[in-house]
Amino acid sequence: MGYKMKTWILAVIAVILMALYVFYGLTGNIGYVLPRRLLNLLAICLTGGAIAFATTIFMTTTNNRILTPSVLGLDSLYMLIQTIIIFFFGSNMMVLLGGSVNYLISIAGMILFSLFLYQFLFKGEKNNIYFLLLIGMILGTFFGSFTDFMQVLIDPNEFMMVQDRMFASINNVNTDLLYISIGIIAITFIYFMRFYKYLDVLSLGREEAINLGVPYHYVVKRLLIIVVILISVATALIGPITFLGLLVVNVSYELMKTYRHFYIILGAVLVSMIALVGGQFLVERLFTFSTTISVIINFIGGLYFIYLLLKENRKW
Amino acid sequence: MKIWHLVTLLILFSFTSVFLGVTDLSPKHIFNLSETQQQVLLTSRLPRLISILVAGASMSIVGLIMQQLSRNRFVSPTTAGTMDAARLGILVSLMLFTAASPLLQMTISFVFALLGTLIFMKILEKVKFKDAIFIPLIGLMFGNIISSISTFIAYQNDLVQNMSSWMQGDFSMIMSGTYELMLVSIPILILAYIFANKFTIAGMGEDFAKNLGLNYRQVVNIGLVISALVTASVVLTVGVIPFLGLIIPNIVAIYQGDHLKRTLLHTALLGAVFVLFCDIIGRIVIYPYEIPISLTVGVIGSAVFIFLLLRRRKYGL
Amino acid sequence: MVKLKNVFKAYNQRKVIEDVSLDIEKGTITSFIGPNGAGKSTLVSMISRLISKDDGAITIDGKDIMQTKNNEMAKKISILKQTNAVNLKLTIRELVSFGRFPYSQGRLTKVDEEKIDEAIDYMELRDIQDKYLDELSGGQRQRAHIAMVIAQDTEYILLDEPLNNLDMRHSVQIMKTLRNLVNEMGKTILLVIHDINFASCYSDHIVALKDGKIVKQGRTCDVIDQCVLKDIYDMDIDIKEIDERKICVYF
């Protein structure tokens, strides 16, 4: 079966799951429930797509299949930046200016960080991938602990006011930010199209890319900025899901068996939507687990990650 | 750093710790305690101090033993799944026996911690590429998987509230009557001291150890049992204290070298001083409220770990 | 012409290339020889823009390699490094198509397809063009990469140890192909090579490096000389002339 056929099948599965998510057990006040579900669905799809998209770009530019933005702690960093902003400016500003200003400032912070990350990842001599992974995971813990630390420091009353609006999860989708997120993703995507043609060549590796005339550092720096913007948007909408990107992009690689990024990205985006929408449908409606899909994805993702590490168990 | 530096710091911080708190209690009252003061001192301040000292010293030593046995600098209860397994054990004990006594919880938690560590050690044997960086990476992932199982179980059984109390190490709830279980660590530490030489030899490898007539398996097993027991007792009474067993032995190794007999005392003292210090910070920053110890140690500990990694790379080790 | 003028390069204060100047003429094969750590690969990597130089100037046909647009340079000069680096699921034809990227930017035209066909035929890969790279032997994979370089259609071709991991038959095959590329298509080839006998038999010029400096450069017959080789390798190497070729005996 060719990758075009597979893409179609994935798309059909995704649409069926979305329909199930929206219409299954639709009772009560339909006028209230239906729009609510549609908004949630939109947010989940947007997030799933953004994570899959960002992770594929990131894996291609770093030339490996283990390193993902989330594993490097980027989504924890986003949470930290949000918290720091509240810490310094207080919740009054949040209420006054609305969540979106905070959101935009955080994205700006993330872009600054990506430039630092770029120095670390691409400027130096050849980096040991495991070293980067370990540093990234501990940075994630560091950002996470620091976020909690700051949150304890913030006046509890003040914190309560903003907590719900800031820290989303898949059961508490931040629909306030939905429209601005769509706008940001659209702009990012249009900007990305300028670099799209380089992706296939970049996957051959840095040296091959330079040899074939890719303005390497220029392109990589901009792709990284695109990655952090997408991750910020995703984290703002439904909170961090560490292993989603790793899982869906690798599934897409295995499924599509091609180097063509058009299909890898499309496949990853679809798999991601299937995993999130389908998973949430199963967990929430069918099994009525009180757990969240993030927990399950992190469990499967963690196992898969160990498998990848042990399989690719060699020096890089 | 000399031993007496550490001892001085330890005494200094201990006094600060005892006399710090909402109830007015200062050194000048010491011979003339009112009834409330006496009660605060005996039921809260002193138990707190003792549990901090024991937790700090014992977790650091456990880290040291695990590093010796696995011959990897970055293996510790945090980076080998031991802590997460101990936590899962407590959860399971609560699920099976709704009113489990602390001793029963401790036992089940110990069994889980031991199993978790054993599985990790088994994975280690399978890994051919024994890079110093690679091993803790797998260990952290392994811990993540265990803890996602815990989260799942906790959600299903409405135990999320209970679980988060072991997720975050916290000394503020320590009272006389709740912390005594932790004192099992003390005889275990003495045992560790007796075995120190053997751990060092076992750390040089199986062949080497056998060559010297050492029962390698037995020594390794004793080391693992010690680690699991101490970790379970600390997680049960205080909660998870991340990275402690990792950073303290590494810092000591930087200035003291690697021989276990020589580093054991330093490690215990520095661990106690470090936790005391973090606890004092956590109590001062938002006085009269407190920041849980796991957060303070988490922030400082992960920062130090990153520093250690970067330093290691700089020297091309 | 490739021109290097007073080029320097250091990694963390350790000098790897010191004050190297040289000219490489069009339509020749130039081999870089020297002991391990002499700086051969570094030099070739700098000429091909893979790593930056610290000081000095490198120009190709009068154009500074760092000032010229990347895409334009990619039509002038190409490099082939270790070929086992690519581990994507690619067929030979897909790999060769990548060689057209500087011209097509990913959208292959009819001209591109023709060039790809030519390159595949030149390297005699037609029969196996749809095989995946990971199914190939070392020699086939090396030929596939050379086909990609041919499709890239650059005047200058750099190769970093192209004979690594190849047996004698394949090594000779590759060197003959390179010779033909110069003789028939007028390419200019620079290569890093360890085996001095291959260098002696197939190249027009040899540049000998040691500790980041040029020890000797010139026509092949001048560099393959007992005294010069003693300078480079610190060992006595006997030179025999067989069929007008200088063969080094160093066993």
Side-chain angles (χ1 to χ4, degrees), chain C residues 131-157:
Chain C
K131 271 202 172 183
Y132 284 100
L133 289 182
D134 50 9
E135 301 165 357
L136 303 180
S137 69
Q140 287 171 328
R141 193 180 305 182
Q142 189 70 305
R143 271 159 56 209
H145 276 87
I146 293 180
M148 170 180 160
V149 167
I150 294 174
Q152 198 178 338
D153 197 16
T154 56
E155 256 181 271
Y156 299 91
I157 299 174

Side-chain angles (χ1 to χ4, degrees), chain A residues 125 197-198 200-201 203-204 206-208 210-215 259-260 314, chain C residues 49-50 70-71 74 77-79 81 86 88 90 94 98 101-102 105 148 152:
Chain A
E125 285 154 53
K197 63 182 180 192
Y198 294 122
D200 287 346
V201 183
S203 63
L204 291 175
R206 173 181 169 276
E207 296 184 335
E208 219 39 276
I210 294 177
N211 175 41
L212 291 172
V214 175
Y259 69 96
R260 281 172 225 271
R314 60 190 163 89
Chain C
R49 299 165 300 149
L50 297 187
N70 290 287
N71 205 32
I77 185 165
S78 57
I79 175 146
K81 296 213 36 151
V86 174
L88 294 176
L90 282 180
E94 285 165 346
F98 273 114
F101 186 79
Q105 299 294 303
M148 170 180 160
Q152 198 178 338

Side-chain angles (χ1 to χ4, degrees), chain B residues 54-70:
Chain B
V54 173
S58 60
M59 284 312 284
S60 308
I61 287 198
V62 164
L64 182 60
I65 293 174
M66 289 176 80
Q67 283 150 35
Q68 290 271 337
L69 291 180
S70 63

Side-chain angles (χ1 to χ4, degrees), chain B residues 60-97:
Chain B
S60 308
I61 287 198
V62 164
L64 182 60
I65 293 174
M66 289 176 80
Q67 283 150 35
Q68 290 271 337
L69 291 180
S70 63
R71 283 190 281 165
N72 187 309
R73 280 214 181 286
F74 298 130
V75 168
S76 70
T78 322
T79 49
T82 315
M83 280 219 167
D84 300 285
R87 199 158 54 125
L88 178 62
I90 300 175
L91 203 62
V92 168
S93 73
L94 276 186
M95 213 174 67
L96 296 180
F97 317 95

Side-chain angles (χ1 to χ4, degrees), chain A residues 167-203:
Chain A
F167 300 105
S169 73
I170 193 156
N171 291 334
N172 174 27
V173 171
N174 198 337
T175 40
D176 293 353
L177 297 176
L178 199 53
Y179 297 111
I180 184 169
S181 299
I182 294 175
I184 293 173
I185 288 187
I187 294 168
T188 313
F189 190 75
I190 292 167
Y191 184 61
F192 162 78
M193 285 317 288
R194 296 173 49 194
F195 304 104
Y196 165 68
K197 63 182 180 192
Y198 294 122
L199 282 184
D200 287 346
V201 183
L202 277 176
S203 63

Side-chain angles (χ1 to χ4, degrees), chain C residues 9-67:
Chain C
K9 175 78 188 175
Y11 290 121
N12 313 320
Q13 278 108 45
R14 198 172 57 85
K15 288 176 182 160
V16 282
I17 294 291
E18 261 189 279
D19 199 13
V20 166
S21 300
L22 62 98
D23 294 347
I24 287 154
E25 283 170 37
K26 275 195 185 181
T28 57
I29 292 187
T30 305
S31 292
F32 290 81
I33 62 166
N36 289 333
K40 299 163 295 197
S41 288
T42 311
L43 203 58
V44 168
S45 293
M46 282 196 287
I47 298 172
S48 54
R49 299 165 300 149
L50 297 187
I51 56 179
S52 58
K53 59 182 187 306
D54 292 345
D55 202 7
I58 303 176
T59 58
I60 293 177
D61 293 342
K63 286 179 180 159
D64 187 300
I65 56 161
M66 285 304 182
Q67 305 299 323

Side-chain angles (χ1 to χ4, degrees), chain B residues 256-278:
Chain B
Q256 195 58 284
D258 268 334
H259 198 285
L260 204 53
K261 257 270 144 57
R262 215 170 336 141
T263 52
L264 216 52
L265 193 57
H266 277 267
T267 308
L269 283 173
L270 187 64
V273 167
F274 178 73
V275 176
L276 257 177
F277 173 73
C278 289

Side-chain angles (χ1 to χ4, degrees), chain B residues 170-240:
Chain B
D170 192 353
F171 285 109
S172 64
M173 302 307 286
I174 297 280
M175 295 272 183
S176 64
T178 62
Y179 80 104
E180 283 81 358
L181 206 56
M182 224 166 99
L183 301 182
V184 284
S185 294
I186 295 177
I188 298 174
L189 288 185
I190 295 170
L191 194 68
Y193 201 75
I194 297 169
F195 268 89
N197 272 327
K198 293 189 172 174
F199 289 140
T200 306
I201 295 171
M204 292 174 181
E206 188 165 359
D207 296 337
F208 190 90
K210 278 186 178 151
N211 193 28
L212 288 177
L214 192 76
N215 188 338
Y216 178 77
R217 277 282 135 216
Q218 193 192 0
V219 173
V220 170
N221 287 339
I222 290 173
L224 293 187
V225 168
I226 289 178
S227 311
L229 209 50
V230 169
T231 307
S233 73
V234 170
V235 171
L236 187 63
T237 38
V238 184
V240 170

